[in-house]
Amino acid sequence: ATRRTKTMAAAGFRCSICQQPATRDWLHEARAFEAGILPAVETDCGLHVIRIDRVPHNESITDGIRAAIHTAQFVVADLTMQRQGVYYEAGLAEGLGRIVIRTCRADHFDQLHFDTRQFLHLKWETPADLRTRLADHIRARVLLPAKL
C-alpha cells in the first residue's frame, strides 16, 4: 500500500477567480494559511499541503477538491467563518476514512455548527498560535501513530 503524504487544506479562502472582495475575515484567513497551516504542515512536519485553488486544473474545482481529499493522508479543516464548503469537505474526508483536523479562530468558536461541536477543534488566536497547535497535533495524531 502507498503511504499518503499529502495534506488537503480546507478553509474559507478568497476565490481569486471569482473576484470576491477582500474583507477583513478573508485577509485573516489568508494569513492563517500562509503563516499557520502552510508552515505547520510543510516546515514543522515535513509533509506537503495542497490548497486546491492554487493547483492548475481543467476540471471543476469540486472535482479537484474531491480528488485531493481522496489522495490525502489527512485534511486540515479551518471552520473559521463557518463556510459550508469546509463542513462538506471535512465530512467527505471523514467518510473516506481520512483523519480530519478541525481548527477555528477563537472569536468564531461559539459559532461552530451544533453537529461538529462533539469533535475536537484546535482553537487558535493568531496564525503563529495556529502553527504551533497544528504542528503539535499533526505530530501526535498523524506522524507518531505512523511510526508505531
Side-chain angles (χ1 to χ4, degrees), residues 3-11 13 48-53 55 59-78 84-102:
R3 186 175 187 276
R4 293 179 200 82
T5 57
K6 292 191 296 186
T7 306
M8 166 69 179
F13 302 122
H48 178 66
V49 67
I50 295 172
R51 202 176 113 173
I52 203 65
D53 65 329
V55 176
E59 68 278 350
S60 77
I61 197 160
T62 305
D63 290 342
I65 290 168
R66 286 195 297 259
I69 291 170
H70 186 76
T71 61
Q73 181 180 6
F74 66 98
V75 171
V76 177
D78 186 67
Q84 293 174 353
V86 179
Y87 283 100
Y88 167 79
E89 293 160 18
L92 176 61
E94 196 165 73
L96 290 170
R98 304 299 178 259
I99 296 168
V100 177
I101 301 174
R102 293 167 181 82

Side-chain angles (χ1 to χ4, degrees), residues 1 7 17 34 38 46 53-54 68 74 80 82 85 90 95 98 100 103 105-106 110 112 114 118 126 129 131 139:
T7 306
I17 300 167
E34 295 297 334
L38 183 63
D53 65 329
R54 294 183 175 179
F74 66 98
T80 303
Q82 312 306 305
R98 304 299 178 259
V100 177
T103 67
R105 200 173 69 214
D110 290 340
L112 287 170
F114 172 79
Q118 64 184 316
T126 65
D129 182 36
R131 177 181 180 171
R139 287 185 200 107

Side-chain angles (χ1 to χ4, degrees), residues 38-51:
L38 183 63
V41 174
E42 294 197 348
T43 304
D44 302 342
C45 295
L47 302 172
H48 178 66
V49 67
I50 295 172
R51 202 176 113 173

